[in-house]
């Protein structure tokens, strides 16, 4: 690898010999039209859209497979290049159907975008279009195929060969009769299948889950972190603030991967991508208390007042808080500060969902929580300190626990029944209505990750920030806010006014977080201290 200088559209740019002209242009904010090139895949060079003129070479060259040399002079916007690109685009559109009004890719389609930026020609084609047979055909659990819309960029084929390594996709036939499809007798069933829809530049591969839900120009987005496993893949939450889904009032329309070279690059597993319905469905929206006539709804302050009264009446060592690794770093710290250090209660993190054995050598981790690493570091624990969920009742009986605060964890009907026999009062803090929430003496609503700000620490020790996409439903609130208001009812001088200020309290007393500043954690996250 050697440092070189090239001239691109009259601008001198320093680059290296291992980079192509297209990569160098994109790295420097110069967009050269392209379809088949993707930075996470091998170079195919088959769409011919990225043509450039290089002085000294008679023919136009594809910039995706032309490596930089010192002194190279490149033109990507002159009349010769524009004419050639326009003609390539015309060929690509000859057999493309006019499905834009009914295509889910409308608004994100690079055929539309390039036609408006480099096309704008009058069509010269009047004959019948080539008919391709599979239209709106499911080829897997999440993916819909429309062969007519395909421009044969081969991105999907290369993804299944090089990234998922499952080889389901292939290109059949030649010329304008070529078609993408799965191999005969096979379906697209790998756990990363939905990524081929992200990288498809047109509407040939669309999402069966998102289909006809919402036009993309209605969507707003928020940067977040996938909560489905300890990898902490970077995602974007796409939501519709204008017209929520009529059938179920859903705000979240879809999750998409967000580029992070240190964590997930451009990719996201299907498990994480489609684990979002709990954000809007079956939510615990208000405090409630168990009364002789059933569940009685309470204002949040009244519910926390009753919880404070219950904690006062119970000896601290007879109160157990079951923590959750779905809590943010700030929430775990607030829980430790209030329950462990100020009140002297017992705190435990159960092993539920940590050692699942469901893991691969790419992104998926067996720990199905986003912040186990963070909780362990905040409390100074090792994985050996986790409380086996199977031993919960024995622990409650042995320690004579009278108040059990459960953060998000589900409890079986057998455990719920035996807690009554042990005269242990259950308090549930969570995001969704569950049997534990319905059986609890007191239920307190919590905000989901999409409704709050904070940080998670992933399996590699990378602290990553996530932002709220919208306001929490009902009276639901972040845990640090719940604990702050509870501390007031207990007469304690503890304040957790915001995620940023709680993180500041956390970093001053914890060596792992000490060198991190909340507002300086960038888009790719920051590693904590070794």
């Amino acid at each position: 690898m050697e440092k070189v200088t090239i001239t691109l559209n009259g601008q001198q740019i320093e680059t290296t010999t291992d980079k192509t002209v297209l990569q160098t242009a994109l790295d420097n904010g110069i967009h050269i039209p392209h379809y088949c090139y993707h930075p996470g895949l091998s170079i195919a060079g088959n769409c011919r859209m990225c043509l450039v003129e290089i002085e000294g070479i008679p023919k136009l060259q594809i910039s995706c497979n032309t490596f930089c040399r010192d002194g190279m002079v490149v033109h990507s916007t002159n009349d010769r290049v524009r004419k050639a690109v326009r003609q390539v685009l015309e060929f690509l559109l000859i057999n493309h159907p006019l499905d834009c009004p009914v295509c889910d890719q409308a608004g994100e389609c690079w055929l539309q975008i390039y036609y408006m930026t480099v096309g704008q020609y009058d069509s010269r084609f009047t004959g019948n279009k080539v008919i391709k047979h599979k239209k709106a055909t499911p080829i897997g659990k999440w993916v819909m195929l429309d062969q007519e819309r395909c421009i044969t960029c081969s991105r999907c084929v290369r993804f299944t060969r090089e990234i998922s390594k499952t080889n389901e996709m292939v290109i059949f036939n030649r010329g304008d009769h070529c078609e993408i499809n799965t191999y005969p007798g096979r379906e697209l069933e790998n756990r990363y299948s939905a990524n081929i829809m992200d990288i498809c530049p047109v509407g040939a591969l669309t999402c069966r889950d998102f289909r006809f839900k919402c036009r993309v120009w209605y969507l707003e987005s928020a940067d977040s972190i996938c909560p489905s496993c300890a990898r902490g893949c970077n995602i974007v939450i796409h939501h519709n603030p204008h017209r929520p889904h009529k059938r179920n009032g859903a705000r979240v329309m879809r999750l998409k991967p967000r580029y992070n070279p240190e964590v997930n690059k451009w990719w996201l597993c299907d498990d994480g991508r489609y684990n979002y319905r709990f954000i809007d469905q079956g939510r615990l929206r208000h405090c409630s208390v168990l009364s002789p006539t059933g569940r009685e709804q309470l204002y949040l302050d009244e519910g926390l007042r009753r919880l404070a009264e219950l904690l006062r009446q119970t000896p601290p060592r007879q109160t157990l808080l079951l923590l959750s690794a779905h809590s943010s770093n700030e929430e775990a710290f607030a829980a430790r500060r209030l329950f462990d250090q100020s009140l002297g209660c017992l705190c435990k993190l159960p092993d539920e969902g940590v050692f699942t054995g469901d893991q691969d050598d790419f992104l998926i981790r067996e720990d199905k929580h986003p912040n186990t690493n963070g909780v362990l570091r905040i409390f100074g624990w090792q994985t050996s300190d986790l409380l086996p969920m199977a031993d919960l009742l024995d622990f409650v009986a042995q320690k004579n626990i009278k108040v059990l605060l459960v953060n998000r964890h589900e409890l079986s009907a057998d455990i719920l029944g035996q807690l009554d026999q042990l005269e242990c009062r259950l308090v549930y803090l969570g995001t969704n209505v569950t049997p534990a929430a319905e059986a609890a003496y007191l239920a307190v609503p919590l905000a989901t990750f999409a409704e709050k700000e904070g940080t998670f620490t992933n399996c590699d020790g990378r602290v990553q920030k996530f932002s709220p996409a919208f306001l929490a439903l009902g009276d639901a609130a972040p845990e640090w806010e719940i604990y702050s208001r509870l501390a007031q009812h207990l007469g304690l001088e503890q304040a957790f006014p915001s995620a940023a200020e709680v993180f500041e309290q956390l970093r001053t007393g914890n060596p792992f977080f000490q060198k991190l500043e909340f507002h300086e954690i960038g888009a790719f996250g920051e590693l904590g201290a070794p």
Side-chain angles (χ1 to χ4, degrees):
M1 181 178 67
E2 178 186 349
K3 286 187 177 182
V4 295
T5 301
I6 70 169
T7 303
L8 178 56
N9 298 336
Q11 177 184 345
Q12 285 199 336
I13 298 173
E14 288 189 359
T15 183
T16 52
T17 52
D18 65 331
K19 286 193 173 183
T20 65
V21 171
L22 179 57
Q23 287 174 318
T24 300
L26 295 176
D27 289 346
N28 287 273
I30 300 171
H31 189 83
I32 297 176
H34 61 278
Y35 284 125
C36 67
Y37 170 77
H38 187 281
L41 303 174
S42 62
I43 296 172
N46 60 337
C47 77
R48 320 310 286 183
M49 278 288 287
C50 65
L51 292 169
V52 294
E53 181 179 5
I54 301 174
E55 292 187 7
I57 300 178
K59 292 185 178 181
L60 298 182
Q61 302 295 307
I62 53 171
S63 59
C64 68
N65 203 25
T66 302
F67 288 85
C68 295
R69 302 191 310 273
D70 195 37
M72 180 183 282
V73 179
V74 183
H75 304 280
S76 70
T77 57
N78 63 18
D79 291 340
R80 185 185 178 199
V81 171
R82 285 184 178 277
K83 181 180 178 181
V85 172
R86 190 179 296 115
Q87 290 171 341
V88 172
L89 185 61
E90 184 176 7
F91 276 117
L92 290 173
L93 282 168
I94 282 177
N95 290 310
H96 197 85
L98 270 178
D99 284 350
C100 300
V102 295
C103 180
D104 270 345
Q105 196 76 4
E108 297 178 312
C109 176
W110 285 97
L111 278 174
Q112 291 177 329
I113 294 168
Y114 285 151
Y115 181 81
M116 296 306 296
T117 55
V118 299
Q120 296 187 342
Y121 58 84
D122 293 326
S123 178
R124 295 174 288 174
F125 187 75
T126 57
N128 294 324
K129 294 180 183 289
V130 173
I131 296 175
K132 298 183 181 181
H133 301 286
K134 288 197 172 180
K135 190 168 187 67
T137 304
I139 58 171
K141 182 178 181 181
W142 304 113
V143 183
M144 189 76 78
L145 169 64
D146 195 316
Q147 290 177 333
E148 286 185 331
R149 299 175 185 168
C150 177
I151 60 169
T152 329
C153 71
S154 77
R155 283 183 172 190
C156 57
V157 176
R158 284 176 283 151
F159 178 86
T160 58
R161 286 178 182 172
E162 300 165 11
I163 306 301
S164 69
K165 295 180 172 59
T166 48
N167 294 290
E168 298 102 330
M169 301 297 294
V170 70
I171 298 174
F172 293 97
N173 305 324
R174 292 185 177 185
D176 59 1
H177 288 270
C178 69
E179 301 171 339
I180 60 162
N181 204 349
T182 55
Y183 275 101
R186 293 192 66 181
E187 284 194 349
L188 192 67
E189 52 190 7
N190 71 76
R191 297 179 74 176
Y192 298 90
S193 65
N195 287 285
I196 67 172
M197 299 179 295
D198 296 329
I199 61 179
C200 180
V202 294
L205 298 166
T206 52
C207 178
R208 296 175 67 183
D209 179 72
F210 180 69
R211 236 171 122 76
F212 306 129
K213 271 188 180 180
C214 180
R215 284 301 194 182
V216 297
W217 48 82
Y218 291 126
L219 297 177
E220 293 186 4
S221 62
D223 291 348
S224 194
I225 303 298
C226 176
S228 297
C229 83
R231 174 69 67 188
C233 291
N234 289 218
I235 61 171
V236 177
I237 300 173
H238 284 163
H239 60 101
N240 182 5
H242 310 290
R243 236 188 300 175
H245 202 298
K246 293 180 180 178
R247 286 178 291 178
N248 58 18
R251 298 166 294 173
V252 179
M253 296 289 105
R254 64 183 182 181
L255 304 183
K256 299 276 269 185
R258 177 165 55 92
Y259 175 68
N260 187 329
E262 305 299 334
V263 181
N264 57 303
K265 293 187 168 64
W266 301 268
W267 319 120
L268 181 65
C269 76
D270 293 350
D271 298 349
R273 184 187 298 262
Y274 296 109
N275 181 25
Y276 66 83
R277 291 178 178 82
F278 75 94
I279 297 171
D280 290 316
Q281 296 178 10
R283 287 294 300 278
L284 188 62
R285 298 177 181 230
H286 303 283
C287 262
S288 62
V289 65
L290 195 61
S291 68
T293 57
R295 297 210 69 84
E296 175 187 339
Q297 186 173 309
L298 304 173
Y299 288 112
L300 182 58
D301 262 349
E302 174 60 18
L304 295 179
R305 186 193 67 78
R306 294 199 186 194
L307 177 55
E309 185 179 335
L310 182 62
L311 293 174
R312 282 197 200 94
Q313 294 170 355
T314 308
R317 305 306 287 179
Q318 291 183 331
T319 298
L320 171 63
L321 170 63
L322 282 188
L323 298 154
S324 171
H326 281 280
S327 301
S328 67
N329 289 315
E330 296 75 20
E331 292 170 326
F333 173 79
R336 184 188 181 200
R337 193 76 172 269
L338 177 61
F339 289 97
D340 180 37
Q341 296 177 337
S342 296
L343 297 177
C345 302
L346 297 176
C347 296
K348 288 290 183 180
L349 181 64
D351 67 350
E352 182 184 38
V354 176
F355 306 111
T356 64
D358 177 27
Q359 180 168 314
D360 64 18
D361 57 0
F362 187 28
L363 296 181
I364 298 170
R365 302 289 89 190
E366 68 170 342
D367 179 4
K368 303 308 176 187
H369 306 88
N371 201 35
T372 300
N373 198 356
V375 175
L376 293 178
R377 290 179 182 278
I378 288 167
F379 278 83
W381 295 335
Q382 303 294 324
T383 53
S384 58
D385 296 314
L386 298 178
L387 175 66
M389 206 62 173
D391 297 341
L392 175 61
L393 287 173
D394 290 340
F395 188 87
V396 168
Q398 179 186 357
K399 299 294 184 179
N400 194 25
I401 301 298
K402 295 303 178 187
V403 175
L404 175 62
L405 292 93
V406 174
N407 188 330
R408 293 181 178 87
H409 296 283
E410 187 48 88
L411 302 179
S412 66
D414 180 56
I415 291 178
L416 293 173
Q418 293 195 49
L419 285 176
D420 284 338
Q421 296 177 16
L422 294 170
E423 297 181 350
C424 177
R425 273 194 166 172
L426 174 64
V427 176
Y428 183 80
L429 299 93
T431 59
N432 294 78
V433 178
T434 65
E438 293 176 330
Y441 161 70
L442 187 65
V444 179
L446 299 179
T448 66
F449 77 102
E451 299 164 331
K452 62 189 179 185
E453 184 180 34
T455 59
F456 291 137
T457 305
N458 80 347
C459 55
D460 299 320
R462 183 169 295 274
V463 179
Q464 303 185 99
K465 191 190 295 185
F466 56 91
S467 305
F470 31 68
L471 297 176
L473 291 175
D475 291 333
E479 286 174 56
W480 49 261
E481 182 179 333
I482 296 290
Y483 298 150
S484 185
R485 294 166 74 167
L486 178 60
Q488 291 176 9
H489 285 290
L490 289 166
L492 299 174
E493 295 183 2
Q494 287 190 355
F496 309 119
S498 69
E501 294 189 42
V502 177
F503 190 87
E504 182 63 25
Q505 296 177 35
L506 163 62
R507 63 180 289 271
T508 55
N510 191 306
F512 178 79
F513 298 94
Q514 197 164 15
K515 293 183 179 180
L516 304 179
E517 293 276 358
F518 186 84
H519 294 296
E520 293 182 4
I521 296 175
F524 301 153
E526 300 287 345
L527 287 172

